[in-house]
Amino acid sequence: DIHRELSQLCHNLAEHPLLMQLARGCFAPAEVAWIYRRRKTIVDSFLPMLSLAQQMAEAAGRVELVRALQINIADEIGLNPDTGQETGEGAHAEWGKRLSSALDLLDPPGLKSCGLSRLPAESWDPYPIDPQDSLAVIVGMIMATEKCIPIEYQAYLKGFRSAFPSL
């Protein structure tokens, strides 16, 4: 049941109008930059979600789940999960900051007023964690996020290549 629901979620995401337009190269560079920045606000909520799940898993005595979450957290912050040493690849948040900085350099003036509120990006707000959420719900949200990332970033890559061919 879980895998079926996750597959349906991915199918729904793949058919999201914003992702479909992005993958077709339908947006100007400023719009692609805006969409990326909007999506990045969601990415920023992922590490706190992992940390909350780890705390809840520890409290529940779920040793294997705690280890899986520790590995994921280590990857997010650029550490080797076994040694705790930096991998040299950096934290995912740093990758996002570097890409945002590059997009800032490529953006034409007037990005803030380019009328992008018409885009359906509002449906991608950060994950709403309710204090009453169970460990199962939060782990489900993590699983859904991980399963959807390749679909989203395939569309982003196509959008970036179309909008910024020299990048």
Side-chain angles (χ1 to χ4, degrees):
D1 288 345
I2 291 170
H3 291 287
R4 184 178 63 248
E5 291 297 320
L6 289 173
S7 293
Q8 182 62 48
L9 172 72
C10 289
H11 176 74
N12 293 346
L13 178 68
E15 292 184 351
H16 191 285
L18 185 62
L19 280 186
M20 291 173 72
Q21 291 174 23
L22 190 60
R24 286 194 308 263
C26 295
F27 295 115
E31 293 172 320
V32 172
W34 183 88
I35 294 165
Y36 172 76
R37 284 192 198 92
R38 180 73 174 138
R39 175 62 179 97
K40 187 164 177 337
T41 64
I42 298 166
V43 173
D44 293 342
S45 69
F46 189 63
L47 189 56
M49 188 181 351
L50 286 170
S51 296
L52 177 60
Q54 180 186 355
Q55 292 169 7
M56 293 173 79
E58 285 172 347
R62 303 290 306 269
V63 177
E64 289 180 36
L65 181 55
V66 169
R67 179 65 183 150
L69 291 163
Q70 287 172 336
I71 290 169
N72 202 331
I73 291 169
D75 177 57
E76 288 290 322
I77 61 177
L79 299 178
N80 178 308
D82 296 318
T83 65
Q85 301 295 313
E86 291 185 10
T87 61
E89 296 173 6
H92 293 196
E94 278 303 311
W95 302 351
K97 285 178 190 172
R98 287 195 303 264
L99 181 55
S100 285
S101 294
L103 293 173
D104 286 341
L105 296 175
L106 296 169
D107 278 347
L111 172 65
K112 302 287 187 272
S113 61
C114 65
L116 288 169
S117 60
R118 65 180 167 75
L119 297 175
E122 288 76 20
S123 63
W124 286 358
D125 282 342
Y127 302 102
I129 297 178
D130 185 307
Q132 304 303 315
D133 282 341
S134 68
L135 177 59
V137 167
I138 294 174
V139 170
M141 292 169 68
I142 292 167
M143 290 173 64
T145 302
E146 294 287 9
K147 190 155 177 116
C148 290
I149 287 170
I151 294 167
E152 288 182 273
Y153 283 93
Q154 183 178 18
Y156 275 97
L157 183 58
K158 289 177 182 176
F160 284 139
R161 285 181 175 156
S162 176
F164 305 106
S166 64
L167 182 63

